[in-house]
Amino acid sequence: QQELACFYACLALMLEETFMPGAGRRALGLSEDSPLSIDAIDVDETFIGVHLPAWHKYAFEGVISAGFDLRFQEESEGPWERLCDLVEVYSDRNTYIDWCWLGVSGRSMNEHLGLSELVDRMSARSLLDGGDALSLKDLAVLAEMNERSVRNATNAKDGSYLALNSEGKVDNQVAKEWLHQRRGFTATK
């Protein structure tokens, strides 16, 4: 939630500096004398923020909350697509974005963004639960391993061999069986 607040505050600061003084505060519904900081932003009821608790439980704990529906990810222009878009904007770091982040939060932008990890985990888990084939990156995210270790499993000579399909992905049933043998994997409940 703090990271999402930073995203919004950074966008507001960019508006303040590049569009018109006060534009960012107005966009966030803040008064002109309000400080432009993450503490001034309540993300709980925002288009994206309202979904964060359920998304987090699903992505990290494998818990499907009441009313949670995987099909929302396919919704064009929906909150999931917008979160993915927002994460993409901030994945291309530059000194200006880092400066804005520091300006609104008082600290440097983390090297690894939690919302980016949420997007990766949720996408991988929904592929697994939806019966789709998974990439090696998806498996690495779900097994809490590095991608190189997962790639090594495709060449293993012992019982941990991981077979790739003709598209270079792992078929769903094979992925499920392999993941259930990994310590870092949490199955969906």
Side-chain angles (χ1 to χ4, degrees):
Q1 289 176 322
Q2 282 189 338
E3 192 173 287
L4 184 59
C6 274
F7 283 4
Y8 290 146
C10 282
L11 289 171
L13 183 55
M14 289 176 198
L15 282 173
E16 296 268 328
E17 293 187 341
T18 62
F19 183 69
M20 179 182 302
R25 285 177 176 79
R26 284 192 299 277
L28 294 176
L30 302 174
S31 67
E32 296 236 357
D33 59 340
S34 292
L36 192 49
S37 73
I38 61 171
D39 298 328
I41 300 170
D42 179 12
V43 299
D44 290 338
E45 299 301 320
T46 63
F47 186 61
I48 294 171
V50 71
H51 300 282
L52 279 180
W55 291 346
H56 188 274
K57 281 189 109 30
Y58 179 67
F60 289 90
E61 301 171 30
V63 174
I64 298 176
S65 302
F68 182 84
D69 189 346
L70 281 176
R71 291 176 292 184
F72 78 89
Q73 283 183 269
E74 299 167 9
E75 184 182 318
S76 180
E77 309 296 323
W80 178 253
E81 183 177 333
R82 291 299 163 236
L83 175 61
C84 294
D85 293 343
L86 193 57
V87 165
E88 185 67 28
V89 166
Y90 285 92
S91 68
D92 294 333
R93 295 183 122 133
N94 61 51
T95 54
Y96 184 62
I97 286 177
D98 288 337
W99 182 87
C100 288
W101 194 277
L102 181 63
V104 300
S105 70
R107 61 184 179 276
S108 297
M109 193 175 195
N110 294 337
E111 185 62 34
H112 180 74
L113 297 175
L115 288 175
S116 179
E117 185 178 1
L118 172 75
V119 166
D120 290 345
R121 283 179 175 267
M122 192 146 145
S123 296
R125 186 175 295 280
S126 66
L127 287 171
L128 183 70
D129 293 344
D132 298 304
L134 282 81
S135 70
L136 297 180
K137 179 185 175 190
D138 295 327
L139 288 170
V141 166
L142 292 172
E144 295 189 12
M145 298 171 66
N146 64 48
E147 194 171 340
R148 182 178 178 178
S149 296
V150 176
R151 187 172 312 285
N152 288 343
T154 64
N155 297 315
K157 303 289 186 236
D158 61 9
S160 67
Y161 176 73
L162 186 59
L164 298 176
N165 65 21
S166 61
E167 297 172 347
K169 293 186 175 188
V170 179
D171 289 327
N172 193 274
Q173 190 57 40
V174 173
K176 284 181 179 178
E177 292 169 9
W178 187 84
L179 282 167
H180 283 287
Q181 297 172 18
R182 308 278 79 75
R183 274 191 307 251
F185 176 64
T186 301
T188 303
K189 300 165 190 68

